[in-house]
Amino acid sequence: MATQESPSPRSYARSTEVFARARDLMPGGVNSPVRAYKAVGRDPVVVRQGKGCRVTDVDGNEYIDYVGSYGPLILGHCPAQVTVALSKAVAKGTSFGMPTEAENALAEMVIAAVPSIELVRFVNSGTEATMSAIRLARAATSRDLIIKCTGCYHGHSDSLLVQAGSGATTLGTPSSPGIPPSVTSHTILVPYNDLAATAQAFGSFPGKIAAILIEPIAGNMGCVPPQTGYLQGLRELCDRHGALLIFDEVMTGFRVAYGGAQQLYGIRPDLTCLGKIVGGGLPCAAYGGRQDLMRKMAPDGPVYQAGTLSGNPLAMAAGLAMLQSLKDSVAYQTLEQSSALLAEGLTQAAAKAKVPVSCQRVGSMICVFFSPKPIANYEQALSCDTKAFTAFFNTMLAHGVMLPPSQYETWFVSLAHDAQAIAQTIAAAAAAFQAAAKKH
Ligand code: KE4
């Protein structure tokens, strides 16, 4: 009989078979590197379906899911609001390459929700959103240099895949081959939460910096909140030096508040990138901001950016359904309560197992750093005990809890994570911290 310490053994035979075939078809057997489980020393489980806060793999094993597709699934898997909206939309067509009313409807909701956005452009991924936003910033300021933080991840465009977090760090290749130094020489790296280093960068390149691109809450080196005054300090530096402040809210947008981190912290960037939740789990992202800036984008202005499937009617329908479920709701209070309960339970379980951790959270973005001290930047994140994380991750998986397979990712709590799921997670963590203690 299975006990909390040793759950019933699970079969992964079908996952192993399917993933072996996948490796013959796609690099690493995946379409995004972090899914390959390289950092946790095992093959990934292959998922068959999701419902609410749970997913089931192809062997029939069920898991409480904190990956949540890395952020979009704030309502959980297959929320009726979204699936019904999608079935209606798909009956009218999947794509047109022509304007649709659905684009107006979602644009109106985004503009009404996000304080800094007066005009918005939909694209297909967060990578496209940030790539387009820095192109616009360079055009608007006639300057070439961009400041980004080490450990922040803004997608895989050439200018931004330097000292990036998320999968790039997980794979130990924060700066990718194939990117000419002539490109990355325009990207200045500073530590997160370090205003002095950022001010120094402006001093070193006077009149040459187009923008700071920042995750207002860093979610790609694990969950690292901005320290008090940091975001306001960046705002002031940009104003003083004539640079633009770009918030990459691909992960935080509609996640930590309906108006994103900029609403939570009361800071108004010049441009904002969105993704994940805005598309309701379909390929959709966006960038937007001040009218005077966004009017520079073609066809109003000369700055070019385009996309065959941008504003796709299915993504618009899913995004609309998701935002309508979040607007004027108690969603964020509910998420705050359940996420706080989870964080408290994890912290207590780690203390009981005598494993030094820093459980860090903003709203329903959470992660457990295997570190005795709080983590405020990339260098500190890299000092975490990844062996202990790996033992923790694999034991949680064995106990039916699916976490992002890397110390440098954020977990996502959804509205579908009920009290039972949170309690089950905390119980599994008790055993998982014991396993981590042995590796520590
Ligand atoms: P996409 O191009 O993957 O849609 O978005 C890139 C991106 C941009 N900005 C932020 C703040 C992001 O978190 C992301 C993507 N997040 C990762 C998760 N850490 C995506 C997961 C993956 O690469 O598979």
Side-chain angles (χ1 to χ4, degrees), residues 359-396:
C359 184
Q360 300 187 187
R361 176 180 77 85
V362 180
S364 54
M365 291 172 62
I366 182 170
C367 94
V368 174
F369 285 107
F370 283 81
S371 162
K373 296 188 196 119
I375 301 297
N377 63 37
Y378 187 48
E379 186 184 0
Q380 293 169 3
L382 293 179
S383 70
C384 288
D385 184 342
T386 50
K387 285 192 174 63
F389 171 81
T390 297
F392 178 78
F393 171 87
N394 283 304
T395 308
M396 290 291 265

PDB file of all heavy atoms in Angstrom, residues 359-396:
ATOM      1  N   CYS A 359      11.292  30.648  -0.309  1.00  0.00           N
ATOM      2  CA  CYS A 359      10.072  30.539  -1.111  1.00  0.00           C
ATOM      3  C   CYS A 359       9.647  31.953  -1.475  1.00  0.00           C
ATOM      4  O   CYS A 359       9.356  32.756  -0.593  1.00  0.00           O
ATOM      5  CB  CYS A 359       8.975  29.819  -0.318  1.00  0.00           C
ATOM      6  SG  CYS A 359       7.486  29.556  -1.278  1.00  0.00           S
ATOM      7  N   GLN A 360       9.665  32.290  -2.746  1.00  0.00           N
ATOM      8  CA  GLN A 360       9.426  33.673  -3.185  1.00  0.00           C
ATOM      9  C   GLN A 360       8.186  33.727  -4.069  1.00  0.00           C
ATOM     10  O   GLN A 360       7.948  32.838  -4.881  1.00  0.00           O
ATOM     11  CB  GLN A 360      10.663  34.238  -3.886  1.00  0.00           C
ATOM     12  CG  GLN A 360      11.845  34.233  -2.966  1.00  0.00           C
ATOM     13  CD  GLN A 360      13.101  34.914  -3.475  1.00  0.00           C
ATOM     14  OE1 GLN A 360      14.129  34.837  -2.823  1.00  0.00           O
ATOM     15  NE2 GLN A 360      13.051  35.596  -4.608  1.00  0.00           N
ATOM     16  N   ARG A 361       7.373  34.788  -3.846  1.00  0.00           N
ATOM     17  CA  ARG A 361       6.066  34.802  -4.506  1.00  0.00           C
ATOM     18  C   ARG A 361       5.600  36.231  -4.741  1.00  0.00           C
ATOM     19  O   ARG A 361       5.850  37.097  -3.907  1.00  0.00           O
ATOM     20  CB  ARG A 361       5.052  34.089  -3.593  1.00  0.00           C
ATOM     21  CG  ARG A 361       3.622  34.108  -4.086  1.00  0.00           C
ATOM     22  CD  ARG A 361       2.700  33.382  -3.118  1.00  0.00           C
ATOM     23  NE  ARG A 361       2.402  34.168  -1.942  1.00  0.00           N
ATOM     24  CZ  ARG A 361       1.439  35.080  -1.867  1.00  0.00           C
ATOM     25  NH1 ARG A 361       0.710  35.363  -2.922  1.00  0.00           N
ATOM     26  NH2 ARG A 361       1.206  35.735  -0.732  1.00  0.00           N
ATOM     27  N   VAL A 362       4.950  36.428  -5.889  1.00  0.00           N
ATOM     28  CA  VAL A 362       4.151  37.636  -6.120  1.00  0.00           C
ATOM     29  C   VAL A 362       2.828  37.147  -6.692  1.00  0.00           C
ATOM     30  O   VAL A 362       2.808  36.538  -7.778  1.00  0.00           O
ATOM     31  CB  VAL A 362       4.797  38.633  -7.090  1.00  0.00           C
ATOM     32  CG1 VAL A 362       3.881  39.856  -7.260  1.00  0.00           C
ATOM     33  CG2 VAL A 362       6.176  39.065  -6.615  1.00  0.00           C
ATOM     34  N   GLY A 363       1.767  37.276  -5.908  1.00  0.00           N
ATOM     35  CA  GLY A 363       0.470  36.782  -6.379  1.00  0.00           C
ATOM     36  C   GLY A 363       0.565  35.287  -6.641  1.00  0.00           C
ATOM     37  O   GLY A 363       1.057  34.537  -5.801  1.00  0.00           O
ATOM     38  N   SER A 364       0.148  34.860  -7.803  1.00  0.00           N
ATOM     39  CA  SER A 364       0.120  33.418  -8.121  1.00  0.00           C
ATOM     40  C   SER A 364       1.353  32.979  -8.906  1.00  0.00           C
ATOM     41  O   SER A 364       1.365  31.916  -9.524  1.00  0.00           O
ATOM     42  CB  SER A 364      -1.143  33.115  -8.936  1.00  0.00           C
ATOM     43  OG  SER A 364      -1.216  33.964 -10.070  1.00  0.00           O
ATOM     44  N   MET A 365       2.386  33.802  -8.882  1.00  0.00           N
ATOM     45  CA  MET A 365       3.734  33.422  -9.367  1.00  0.00           C
ATOM     46  C   MET A 365       4.563  33.059  -8.150  1.00  0.00           C
ATOM     47  O   MET A 365       4.658  33.849  -7.196  1.00  0.00           O
ATOM     48  CB  MET A 365       4.409  34.607 -10.083  1.00  0.00           C
ATOM     49  CG  MET A 365       3.809  35.012 -11.391  1.00  0.00           C
ATOM     50  SD  MET A 365       4.538  36.555 -12.023  1.00  0.00           S
ATOM     51  CE  MET A 365       6.249  36.103 -12.250  1.00  0.00           C
ATOM     52  N   ILE A 366       5.103  31.836  -8.145  1.00  0.00           N
ATOM     53  CA  ILE A 366       5.780  31.380  -6.926  1.00  0.00           C
ATOM     54  C   ILE A 366       6.939  30.484  -7.315  1.00  0.00           C
ATOM     55  O   ILE A 366       6.929  29.876  -8.392  1.00  0.00           O
ATOM     56  CB  ILE A 366       4.756  30.621  -6.040  1.00  0.00           C
ATOM     57  CG1 ILE A 366       5.349  30.146  -4.735  1.00  0.00           C
ATOM     58  CG2 ILE A 366       4.152  29.452  -6.789  1.00  0.00           C
ATOM     59  CD1 ILE A 366       4.287  29.616  -3.766  1.00  0.00           C
ATOM     60  N   CYS A 367       7.955  30.414  -6.481  1.00  0.00           N
ATOM     61  CA  CYS A 367       8.985  29.389  -6.685  1.00  0.00           C
ATOM     62  C   CYS A 367       9.726  29.148  -5.384  1.00  0.00           C
ATOM     63  O   CYS A 367       9.697  29.987  -4.470  1.00  0.00           O
ATOM     64  CB  CYS A 367       9.939  29.741  -7.819  1.00  0.00           C
ATOM     65  SG  CYS A 367      11.419  30.581  -7.334  1.00  0.00           S
ATOM     66  N   VAL A 368      10.375  27.980  -5.309  1.00  0.00           N
ATOM     67  CA  VAL A 368      11.170  27.603  -4.138  1.00  0.00           C
ATOM     68  C   VAL A 368      12.624  27.607  -4.564  1.00  0.00           C
ATOM     69  O   VAL A 368      13.054  26.773  -5.369  1.00  0.00           O
ATOM     70  CB  VAL A 368      10.776  26.205  -3.626  1.00  0.00           C
ATOM     71  CG1 VAL A 368      11.713  25.760  -2.507  1.00  0.00           C
ATOM     72  CG2 VAL A 368       9.323  26.197  -3.145  1.00  0.00           C
ATOM     73  N   PHE A 369      13.396  28.576  -4.045  1.00  0.00           N
ATOM     74  CA  PHE A 369      14.836  28.590  -4.316  1.00  0.00           C
ATOM     75  C   PHE A 369      15.529  27.737  -3.259  1.00  0.00           C
ATOM     76  O   PHE A 369      15.266  27.937  -2.054  1.00  0.00           O
ATOM     77  CB  PHE A 369      15.391  30.014  -4.246  1.00  0.00           C
ATOM     78  CG  PHE A 369      15.054  30.872  -5.435  1.00  0.00           C
ATOM     79  CD1 PHE A 369      14.119  31.893  -5.334  1.00  0.00           C
ATOM     80  CD2 PHE A 369      15.678  30.661  -6.651  1.00  0.00           C
ATOM     81  CE1 PHE A 369      13.809  32.706  -6.421  1.00  0.00           C
ATOM     82  CE2 PHE A 369      15.376  31.481  -7.752  1.00  0.00           C
ATOM     83  CZ  PHE A 369      14.446  32.486  -7.636  1.00  0.00           C
ATOM     84  N   PHE A 370      16.386  26.834  -3.697  1.00  0.00           N
ATOM     85  CA  PHE A 370      17.137  26.036  -2.725  1.00  0.00           C
ATOM     86  C   PHE A 370      18.370  26.849  -2.319  1.00  0.00           C
ATOM     87  O   PHE A 370      19.488  26.639  -2.791  1.00  0.00           O
ATOM     88  CB  PHE A 370      17.468  24.658  -3.320  1.00  0.00           C
ATOM     89  CG  PHE A 370      16.255  23.779  -3.295  1.00  0.00           C
ATOM     90  CD1 PHE A 370      15.275  23.895  -4.271  1.00  0.00           C
ATOM     91  CD2 PHE A 370      16.045  22.888  -2.238  1.00  0.00           C
ATOM     92  CE1 PHE A 370      14.113  23.123  -4.223  1.00  0.00           C
ATOM     93  CE2 PHE A 370      14.886  22.113  -2.179  1.00  0.00           C
ATOM     94  CZ  PHE A 370      13.924  22.240  -3.165  1.00  0.00           C
ATOM     95  N   SER A 371      18.097  27.793  -1.465  1.00  0.00           N
ATOM     96  CA  SER A 371      19.109  28.751  -1.018  1.00  0.00           C
ATOM     97  C   SER A 371      18.746  29.189   0.395  1.00  0.00           C
ATOM     98  O   SER A 371      17.559  29.371   0.708  1.00  0.00           O
ATOM     99  CB  SER A 371      19.091  29.989  -1.931  1.00  0.00           C
ATOM    100  OG  SER A 371      19.732  31.080  -1.298  1.00  0.00           O
ATOM    101  N   PRO A 372      19.764  29.374   1.270  1.00  0.00           N
ATOM    102  CA  PRO A 372      19.444  29.819   2.637  1.00  0.00           C
ATOM    103  C   PRO A 372      19.055  31.297   2.692  1.00  0.00           C
ATOM    104  O   PRO A 372      18.513  31.765   3.671  1.00  0.00           O
ATOM    105  CB  PRO A 372      20.757  29.571   3.392  1.00  0.00           C
ATOM    106  CG  PRO A 372      21.823  29.583   2.356  1.00  0.00           C
ATOM    107  CD  PRO A 372      21.205  29.084   1.089  1.00  0.00           C
ATOM    108  N   LYS A 373      19.385  32.020   1.576  1.00  0.00           N
ATOM    109  CA  LYS A 373      19.103  33.466   1.585  1.00  0.00           C
ATOM    110  C   LYS A 373      18.104  33.816   0.476  1.00  0.00           C
ATOM    111  O   LYS A 373      18.039  33.111  -0.542  1.00  0.00           O
ATOM    112  CB  LYS A 373      20.405  34.241   1.320  1.00  0.00           C
ATOM    113  CG  LYS A 373      21.497  34.072   2.388  1.00  0.00           C
ATOM    114  CD  LYS A 373      22.648  35.040   2.108  1.00  0.00           C
ATOM    115  CE  LYS A 373      23.912  34.658   2.877  1.00  0.00           C
ATOM    116  NZ  LYS A 373      25.041  34.344   1.959  1.00  0.00           N
ATOM    117  N   PRO A 374      17.408  34.945   0.625  1.00  0.00           N
ATOM    118  CA  PRO A 374      16.511  35.380  -0.449  1.00  0.00           C
ATOM    119  C   PRO A 374      17.324  35.659  -1.714  1.00  0.00           C
ATOM    120  O   PRO A 374      18.499  35.999  -1.652  1.00  0.00           O
ATOM    121  CB  PRO A 374      15.894  36.668   0.104  1.00  0.00           C
ATOM    122  CG  PRO A 374      16.113  36.619   1.570  1.00  0.00           C
ATOM    123  CD  PRO A 374      17.374  35.840   1.791  1.00  0.00           C
ATOM    124  N   ILE A 375      16.659  35.492  -2.859  1.00  0.00           N
ATOM    125  CA  ILE A 375      17.305  35.678  -4.156  1.00  0.00           C
ATOM    126  C   ILE A 375      16.820  36.988  -4.767  1.00  0.00           C
ATOM    127  O   ILE A 375      15.608  37.202  -4.928  1.00  0.00           O
ATOM    128  CB  ILE A 375      16.974  34.504  -5.104  1.00  0.00           C
ATOM    129  CG1 ILE A 375      17.436  33.185  -4.482  1.00  0.00           C
ATOM    130  CG2 ILE A 375      17.613  34.738  -6.481  1.00  0.00           C
ATOM    131  CD1 ILE A 375      18.930  33.055  -4.259  1.00  0.00           C
ATOM    132  N   ALA A 376      17.773  37.882  -5.101  1.00  0.00           N
ATOM    133  CA  ALA A 376      17.389  39.202  -5.639  1.00  0.00           C
ATOM    134  C   ALA A 376      17.905  39.427  -7.050  1.00  0.00           C
ATOM    135  O   ALA A 376      17.567  40.424  -7.681  1.00  0.00           O
ATOM    136  CB  ALA A 376      17.912  40.305  -4.721  1.00  0.00           C
ATOM    137  N   ASN A 377      18.774  38.529  -7.517  1.00  0.00           N
ATOM    138  CA  ASN A 377      19.304  38.692  -8.882  1.00  0.00           C
ATOM    139  C   ASN A 377      19.816  37.366  -9.427  1.00  0.00           C
ATOM    140  O   ASN A 377      19.797  36.338  -8.741  1.00  0.00           O
ATOM    141  CB  ASN A 377      20.416  39.755  -8.883  1.00  0.00           C
ATOM    142  CG  ASN A 377      21.605  39.348  -8.021  1.00  0.00           C
ATOM    143  OD1 ASN A 377      21.991  38.178  -7.970  1.00  0.00           O
ATOM    144  ND2 ASN A 377      22.162  40.298  -7.305  1.00  0.00           N
ATOM    145  N   TYR A 378      20.317  37.428 -10.654  1.00  0.00           N
ATOM    146  CA  TYR A 378      20.708  36.224 -11.394  1.00  0.00           C
ATOM    147  C   TYR A 378      21.897  35.504 -10.748  1.00  0.00           C
ATOM    148  O   TYR A 378      21.912  34.293 -10.603  1.00  0.00           O
ATOM    149  CB  TYR A 378      21.060  36.662 -12.811  1.00  0.00           C
ATOM    150  CG  TYR A 378      21.338  35.594 -13.818  1.00  0.00           C
ATOM    151  CD1 TYR A 378      20.484  34.500 -13.979  1.00  0.00           C
ATOM    152  CD2 TYR A 378      22.451  35.678 -14.646  1.00  0.00           C
ATOM    153  CE1 TYR A 378      20.728  33.539 -14.947  1.00  0.00           C
ATOM    154  CE2 TYR A 378      22.701  34.734 -15.618  1.00  0.00           C
ATOM    155  CZ  TYR A 378      21.839  33.664 -15.765  1.00  0.00           C
ATOM    156  OH  TYR A 378      22.103  32.718 -16.732  1.00  0.00           O
ATOM    157  N   GLU A 379      22.884  36.282 -10.342  1.00  0.00           N
ATOM    158  CA  GLU A 379      24.086  35.690  -9.730  1.00  0.00           C
ATOM    159  C   GLU A 379      23.696  34.887  -8.494  1.00  0.00           C
ATOM    160  O   GLU A 379      24.132  33.754  -8.294  1.00  0.00           O
ATOM    161  CB  GLU A 379      25.073  36.794  -9.355  1.00  0.00           C
ATOM    162  CG  GLU A 379      26.418  36.285  -8.846  1.00  0.00           C
ATOM    163  CD  GLU A 379      27.333  37.433  -8.392  1.00  0.00           C
ATOM    164  OE1 GLU A 379      26.899  38.602  -8.478  1.00  0.00           O
ATOM    165  OE2 GLU A 379      28.455  37.145  -7.949  1.00  0.00           O
ATOM    166  N   GLN A 380      22.795  35.429  -7.693  1.00  0.00           N
ATOM    167  CA  GLN A 380      22.343  34.719  -6.496  1.00  0.00           C
ATOM    168  C   GLN A 380      21.522  33.489  -6.884  1.00  0.00           C
ATOM    169  O   GLN A 380      21.657  32.421  -6.292  1.00  0.00           O
ATOM    170  CB  GLN A 380      21.523  35.667  -5.605  1.00  0.00           C
ATOM    171  CG  GLN A 380      22.348  36.798  -5.007  1.00  0.00           C
ATOM    172  CD  GLN A 380      21.481  37.868  -4.354  1.00  0.00           C
ATOM    173  OE1 GLN A 380      20.261  37.759  -4.295  1.00  0.00           O
ATOM    174  NE2 GLN A 380      22.103  38.926  -3.874  1.00  0.00           N
ATOM    175  N   ALA A 381      20.709  33.611  -7.943  1.00  0.00           N
ATOM    176  CA  ALA A 381      19.906  32.459  -8.386  1.00  0.00           C
ATOM    177  C   ALA A 381      20.819  31.316  -8.818  1.00  0.00           C
ATOM    178  O   ALA A 381      20.577  30.149  -8.510  1.00  0.00           O
ATOM    179  CB  ALA A 381      18.983  32.868  -9.523  1.00  0.00           C
ATOM    180  N   LEU A 382      21.906  31.674  -9.492  1.00  0.00           N
ATOM    181  CA  LEU A 382      22.833  30.640  -9.972  1.00  0.00           C
ATOM    182  C   LEU A 382      23.556  29.932  -8.831  1.00  0.00           C
ATOM    183  O   LEU A 382      24.143  28.872  -9.030  1.00  0.00           O
ATOM    184  CB  LEU A 382      23.861  31.260 -10.941  1.00  0.00           C
ATOM    185  CG  LEU A 382      23.307  31.757 -12.270  1.00  0.00           C
ATOM    186  CD1 LEU A 382      24.428  32.372 -13.111  1.00  0.00           C
ATOM    187  CD2 LEU A 382      22.612  30.646 -13.049  1.00  0.00           C
ATOM    188  N   SER A 383      23.503  30.513  -7.634  1.00  0.00           N
ATOM    189  CA  SER A 383      24.201  29.875  -6.503  1.00  0.00           C
ATOM    190  C   SER A 383      23.318  28.837  -5.805  1.00  0.00           C
ATOM    191  O   SER A 383      23.743  28.189  -4.850  1.00  0.00           O
ATOM    192  CB  SER A 383      24.589  30.954  -5.487  1.00  0.00           C
ATOM    193  OG  SER A 383      23.396  31.447  -4.861  1.00  0.00           O
ATOM    194  N   CYS A 384      22.075  28.678  -6.286  1.00  0.00           N
ATOM    195  CA  CYS A 384      21.165  27.728  -5.627  1.00  0.00           C
ATOM    196  C   CYS A 384      21.645  26.288  -5.779  1.00  0.00           C
ATOM    197  O   CYS A 384      22.400  25.962  -6.692  1.00  0.00           O
ATOM    198  CB  CYS A 384      19.765  27.855  -6.224  1.00  0.00           C
ATOM    199  SG  CYS A 384      18.918  29.366  -5.735  1.00  0.00           S
ATOM    200  N   ASP A 385      21.160  25.431  -4.890  1.00  0.00           N
ATOM    201  CA  ASP A 385      21.544  24.015  -4.870  1.00  0.00           C
ATOM    202  C   ASP A 385      20.654  23.250  -5.860  1.00  0.00           C
ATOM    203  O   ASP A 385      19.580  22.763  -5.508  1.00  0.00           O
ATOM    204  CB  ASP A 385      21.359  23.487  -3.447  1.00  0.00           C
ATOM    205  CG  ASP A 385      21.821  22.045  -3.307  1.00  0.00           C
ATOM    206  OD1 ASP A 385      21.957  21.361  -4.345  1.00  0.00           O
ATOM    207  OD2 ASP A 385      22.025  21.612  -2.156  1.00  0.00           O
ATOM    208  N   THR A 386      21.115  23.155  -7.109  1.00  0.00           N
ATOM    209  CA  THR A 386      20.262  22.538  -8.134  1.00  0.00           C
ATOM    210  C   THR A 386      20.158  21.021  -7.949  1.00  0.00           C
ATOM    211  O   THR A 386      19.204  20.416  -8.425  1.00  0.00           O
ATOM    212  CB  THR A 386      20.793  22.863  -9.547  1.00  0.00           C
ATOM    213  OG1 THR A 386      22.185  22.567  -9.598  1.00  0.00           O
ATOM    214  CG2 THR A 386      20.573  24.325  -9.890  1.00  0.00           C
ATOM    215  N   LYS A 387      21.125  20.411  -7.245  1.00  0.00           N
ATOM    216  CA  LYS A 387      20.997  18.976  -6.948  1.00  0.00           C
ATOM    217  C   LYS A 387      19.800  18.741  -6.005  1.00  0.00           C
ATOM    218  O   LYS A 387      19.007  17.824  -6.188  1.00  0.00           O
ATOM    219  CB  LYS A 387      22.268  18.417  -6.303  1.00  0.00           C
ATOM    220  CG  LYS A 387      23.443  18.223  -7.259  1.00  0.00           C
ATOM    221  CD  LYS A 387      24.551  17.394  -6.594  1.00  0.00           C
ATOM    222  CE  LYS A 387      25.674  17.055  -7.580  1.00  0.00           C
ATOM    223  NZ  LYS A 387      26.336  18.292  -8.063  1.00  0.00           N
ATOM    224  N   ALA A 388      19.690  19.631  -5.023  1.00  0.00           N
ATOM    225  CA  ALA A 388      18.565  19.504  -4.093  1.00  0.00           C
ATOM    226  C   ALA A 388      17.259  19.767  -4.844  1.00  0.00           C
ATOM    227  O   ALA A 388      16.272  19.056  -4.652  1.00  0.00           O
ATOM    228  CB  ALA A 388      18.729  20.492  -2.936  1.00  0.00           C
ATOM    229  N   PHE A 389      17.298  20.775  -5.760  1.00  0.00           N
ATOM    230  CA  PHE A 389      16.079  21.041  -6.552  1.00  0.00           C
ATOM    231  C   PHE A 389      15.690  19.804  -7.338  1.00  0.00           C
ATOM    232  O   PHE A 389      14.517  19.427  -7.393  1.00  0.00           O
ATOM    233  CB  PHE A 389      16.254  22.228  -7.501  1.00  0.00           C
ATOM    234  CG  PHE A 389      15.098  22.361  -8.456  1.00  0.00           C
ATOM    235  CD1 PHE A 389      13.920  22.983  -8.054  1.00  0.00           C
ATOM    236  CD2 PHE A 389      15.147  21.787  -9.721  1.00  0.00           C
ATOM    237  CE1 PHE A 389      12.816  23.044  -8.904  1.00  0.00           C
ATOM    238  CE2 PHE A 389      14.047  21.842 -10.580  1.00  0.00           C
ATOM    239  CZ  PHE A 389      12.883  22.477 -10.168  1.00  0.00           C
ATOM    240  N   THR A 390      16.647  19.171  -7.975  1.00  0.00           N
ATOM    241  CA  THR A 390      16.355  18.008  -8.814  1.00  0.00           C
ATOM    242  C   THR A 390      15.717  16.887  -8.005  1.00  0.00           C
ATOM    243  O   THR A 390      14.723  16.276  -8.432  1.00  0.00           O
ATOM    244  CB  THR A 390      17.638  17.528  -9.506  1.00  0.00           C
ATOM    245  OG1 THR A 390      18.096  18.578 -10.371  1.00  0.00           O
ATOM    246  CG2 THR A 390      17.409  16.268 -10.326  1.00  0.00           C
ATOM    247  N   ALA A 391      16.247  16.641  -6.817  1.00  0.00           N
ATOM    248  CA  ALA A 391      15.661  15.595  -5.960  1.00  0.00           C
ATOM    249  C   ALA A 391      14.236  15.978  -5.571  1.00  0.00           C
ATOM    250  O   ALA A 391      13.322  15.150  -5.587  1.00  0.00           O
ATOM    251  CB  ALA A 391      16.516  15.418  -4.712  1.00  0.00           C
ATOM    252  N   PHE A 392      14.057  17.258  -5.263  1.00  0.00           N
ATOM    253  CA  PHE A 392      12.718  17.763  -4.897  1.00  0.00           C
ATOM    254  C   PHE A 392      11.759  17.585  -6.064  1.00  0.00           C
ATOM    255  O   PHE A 392      10.666  17.042  -5.920  1.00  0.00           O
ATOM    256  CB  PHE A 392      12.848  19.237  -4.508  1.00  0.00           C
ATOM    257  CG  PHE A 392      11.557  19.916  -4.160  1.00  0.00           C
ATOM    258  CD1 PHE A 392      10.965  19.705  -2.904  1.00  0.00           C
ATOM    259  CD2 PHE A 392      10.922  20.773  -5.053  1.00  0.00           C
ATOM    260  CE1 PHE A 392       9.762  20.336  -2.576  1.00  0.00           C
ATOM    261  CE2 PHE A 392       9.723  21.402  -4.734  1.00  0.00           C
ATOM    262  CZ  PHE A 392       9.150  21.178  -3.495  1.00  0.00           C
ATOM    263  N   PHE A 393      12.206  18.015  -7.239  1.00  0.00           N
ATOM    264  CA  PHE A 393      11.351  17.951  -8.444  1.00  0.00           C
ATOM    265  C   PHE A 393      10.908  16.509  -8.709  1.00  0.00           C
ATOM    266  O   PHE A 393       9.721  16.224  -8.896  1.00  0.00           O
ATOM    267  CB  PHE A 393      12.108  18.494  -9.657  1.00  0.00           C
ATOM    268  CG  PHE A 393      11.380  18.262 -10.960  1.00  0.00           C
ATOM    269  CD1 PHE A 393      10.431  19.164 -11.420  1.00  0.00           C
ATOM    270  CD2 PHE A 393      11.616  17.107 -11.712  1.00  0.00           C
ATOM    271  CE1 PHE A 393       9.731  18.924 -12.595  1.00  0.00           C
ATOM    272  CE2 PHE A 393      10.914  16.868 -12.894  1.00  0.00           C
ATOM    273  CZ  PHE A 393       9.974  17.778 -13.337  1.00  0.00           C
ATOM    274  N   ASN A 394      11.868  15.586  -8.708  1.00  0.00           N
ATOM    275  CA  ASN A 394      11.544  14.200  -9.074  1.00  0.00           C
ATOM    276  C   ASN A 394      10.656  13.527  -8.033  1.00  0.00           C
ATOM    277  O   ASN A 394       9.795  12.711  -8.374  1.00  0.00           O
ATOM    278  CB  ASN A 394      12.829  13.403  -9.320  1.00  0.00           C
ATOM    279  CG  ASN A 394      13.434  13.729 -10.692  1.00  0.00           C
ATOM    280  OD1 ASN A 394      12.769  13.585 -11.713  1.00  0.00           O
ATOM    281  ND2 ASN A 394      14.664  14.220 -10.715  1.00  0.00           N
ATOM    282  N   THR A 395      10.816  13.881  -6.776  1.00  0.00           N
ATOM    283  CA  THR A 395       9.951  13.305  -5.742  1.00  0.00           C
ATOM    284  C   THR A 395       8.539  13.887  -5.845  1.00  0.00           C
ATOM    285  O   THR A 395       7.554  13.169  -5.695  1.00  0.00           O
ATOM    286  CB  THR A 395      10.548  13.565  -4.343  1.00  0.00           C
ATOM    287  OG1 THR A 395      11.902  13.115  -4.332  1.00  0.00           O
ATOM    288  CG2 THR A 395       9.748  12.841  -3.258  1.00  0.00           C
ATOM    289  N   MET A 396       8.459  15.178  -6.142  1.00  0.00           N
ATOM    290  CA  MET A 396       7.123  15.769  -6.343  1.00  0.00           C
ATOM    291  C   MET A 396       6.425  15.093  -7.518  1.00  0.00           C
ATOM    292  O   MET A 396       5.244  14.762  -7.446  1.00  0.00           O
ATOM    293  CB  MET A 396       7.244  17.274  -6.601  1.00  0.00           C
ATOM    294  CG  MET A 396       7.664  18.078  -5.403  1.00  0.00           C
ATOM    295  SD  MET A 396       6.387  18.146  -4.121  1.00  0.00           S
ATOM    296  CE  MET A 396       5.584  19.702  -4.535  1.00  0.00           C
TER     297      MET A 396
END
